[in-house]
Structure formats: C-alpha cells, structure tokens
C-alpha cells in the first residue's frame, strides 16, 4: 500500500492525472476502469484541460467500475458525468468507450458486462485484467458499488454483480473483488473530512476494519496507491 497525501482536492486531481498519464505512456494499449463521484469529476476536468494533448488517447479503452441503473442521459449516470467532463473534450475513438448500460435490466446487464470484460480485456490466470482500476470510497467505507450490507458481493465468482444502495434501494451494476484485485494497479482517490475516520480504520487495520468493502482492496500485484487530501488523511500520522 502506498499512501500519497496532498493539500487539497485539486492537487490530488493533478497528481493523479500525472500518474495516469505515465501509465498510459508506458503501454501500447491501456484498459482503465473509471469511477464516478466528486473527486473523479475534478480529475476529468484536469485531464481535459491540462492533459488533452499530452496523452495518446487512441490507445486508451475506458470502462466503468460501477454504474447506477439509470439512462445514460440521467442526472445520476456516471457515464453522463464522464462524457460531460472528459470524453466530449478529448480525441477518443467511440469504439474505445465501453459503458455499462444502466437503462437495461440490471441482472441482464451485469451478465452482458461480465461477458464484455471477458471479451475485451486480456486474461491473466484465466481472469480479465485491467491495467488500472480507479476507485473512490464513500463515507460508509463502500467502494465501487459494493456496500457494507452486501459485502459478500466482493467475493462473487462473477465479474459483475447487481448491488442495491442501502438507503435509496437504487440498483447498480458493479465489478467485483475478483476483477478489482486482479488489476495491474488499483488507485483509491479519497478526499474530504467525512472520509477521515474510515481512512484511518482501514489503513491502520483497526478493529472492525474488515466490515468495510474498501478494506478488501488488495491487488495481487501489490500495486495499491491511495491519493488522499489532507482532510481525508487528517486522522492518520
């Protein structure tokens, strides 16, 4: 585990963008699972403004780690947010965009996207492998769309599962621990004071840390990199 702490969200976004650009530069073809949320939105803005012409986007294939079961035009769609803040502003072939179809039946879409990952990603030890999985973490310690009350989804044999938000009951399609922990690199982007307690419990392996899905992020490559702002890291030394 590598912990990087920066002054604020914008600095987190800039430093992560540099990290991402380096990964892309080093490879001929790059498969990346994107995250939704406020911090990735800032990252996408930085990439679109400062890295638009510094990255060879044609060799990048974008996927999503999770998606709300809403239409792609819906206000809650992770895909829509990514289009608005990044995809509409860079030169990326349409064939390199592999979205989760939130408008489909959730169970059917989880199966379809599982098959898509099997078909599009290179396999290592029989499992599809991303070059990079980008994750966030909620105040409740969830990551992707695997929440504490459904933590068993992490260990699913499937590439994707249907998750249910604990409060709204909204269904989401999410990749599972099988895929996340098989990635070459996993990056956890966590900002804000509301995350500080869970960051401390998880990174310091305090009592009860296993109850939080984010604690299960442990790629077999041993390449787990946290990008934190000072607020999120305020309770760790």
């Amino acid at each position: 585990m590598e912990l990087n702490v920066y002054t604020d969200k914008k600095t987190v976004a800039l430093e992560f963008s540099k990290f991402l650009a380096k990964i892309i530069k080093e490879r001929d073809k790059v498969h990346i699972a994107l995250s939704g949320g406020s911090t990735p939105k800032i990252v996408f803005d930085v990439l679109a403004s400062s890295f638009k012409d510094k990255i060879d986007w044609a060799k990048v294939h974008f996927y999503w780690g999770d998606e709300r079961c809403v239409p792609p035009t819906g206000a809650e769609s992770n895909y829509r947010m990514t289009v608005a803040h990044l995809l509409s502003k860079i030169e990326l072939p349409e064939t390199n965009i592999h979205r989760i179809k939130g408008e489909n039946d959730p169970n059917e879409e989880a199966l379809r996207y599982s098959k898509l990952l099997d078909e599009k990603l290179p396999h290592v030890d029989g499992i599809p492998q991303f070059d990079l999985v980008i994750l966030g973490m909620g105040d409740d310690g969830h990551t992707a769309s695997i929440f504490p009350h459904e933590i068993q989804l992490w260990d699913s044999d499937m590439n994707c599962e249907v998750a249910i938000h604990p409060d709204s009951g909204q269904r989401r399609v999410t990749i599972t621990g099988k895929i996340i922990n098989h990635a070459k690199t996993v990056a956890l982007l966590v900002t804000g004071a509301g995350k500080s307690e869970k960051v401390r419990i998880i990174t310091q392996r305090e009592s009860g840390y296993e109850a939080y899905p984010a604690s299960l992020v442990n790629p077999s490559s041993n390449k787990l990199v946290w990008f934190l702002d000072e607020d999120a890291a305020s309770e760790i030394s």
Side-chain angles (χ1 to χ4, degrees), residues 6-18:
Y6 304 102
T7 52
D8 51 35
K9 289 182 180 182
K10 289 187 177 180
T11 310
V12 168
L14 177 60
E15 293 303 320
F16 174 75
S17 295
K18 292 177 184 176

Side-chain angles (χ1 to χ4, degrees), residues 141-161:
H142 86 265
T143 195
S145 277
I146 299 180
F147 298 90
H149 78 290
E150 292 184 323
I151 197 168
Q152 74 279 359
L153 294 179
W154 185 271
D155 294 320
S156 171
D157 291 333
M158 299 292 293
N159 296 337
C160 302
E161 286 281 0

Side-chain angles (χ1 to χ4, degrees), residues 91-219:
E91 295 294 327
L92 181 74
E94 284 286 331
T95 53
N96 291 21
I97 300 171
H98 312 283
R99 74 177 181 92
I100 297 173
K101 297 181 178 180
E103 68 273 26
N104 287 356
D105 174 83
N107 291 309
E108 291 179 3
E109 182 58 16
L111 288 172
R112 186 196 72 85
Y113 209 65
S114 289
K115 292 177 182 176
L116 183 144
L117 298 184
D118 273 326
E119 293 168 359
K120 299 291 185 181
L121 297 179
H123 283 229
V124 176
D125 297 328
I127 300 173
Q129 185 176 67
F130 279 109
D131 292 283
L132 174 66
V133 170
I134 304 169
L135 297 172
M137 185 186 75
D139 292 356
D140 60 357
H142 86 265
T143 195
S145 277
I146 299 180
F147 298 90
H149 78 290
E150 292 184 323
I151 197 168
Q152 74 279 359
L153 294 179
W154 185 271
D155 294 320
S156 171
D157 291 333
M158 299 292 293
N159 296 337
C160 302
E161 286 281 0
V162 177
I164 301 174
H165 190 279
D167 299 322
S168 68
Q170 182 189 63
R171 280 167 168 71
R172 302 179 178 189
V173 174
T174 181
I175 59 174
T176 62
K178 168 186 171 181
I179 296 297
I180 293 170
N181 280 342
H182 197 59
K184 289 182 180 178
T185 303
V186 179
L188 263 164
L189 280 58
V190 185
T191 60
K195 314 288 178 67
S196 62
E197 181 187 29
K198 298 301 188 298
V199 167
R200 187 196 78 235
I201 292 171
I202 290 169
T203 61
Q204 308 305 304
R205 295 294 192 256
E206 292 184 7
S207 176
Y209 76 94
E210 305 98 328
Y212 305 116
S215 75
L216 302 176
V217 180
N218 184 26

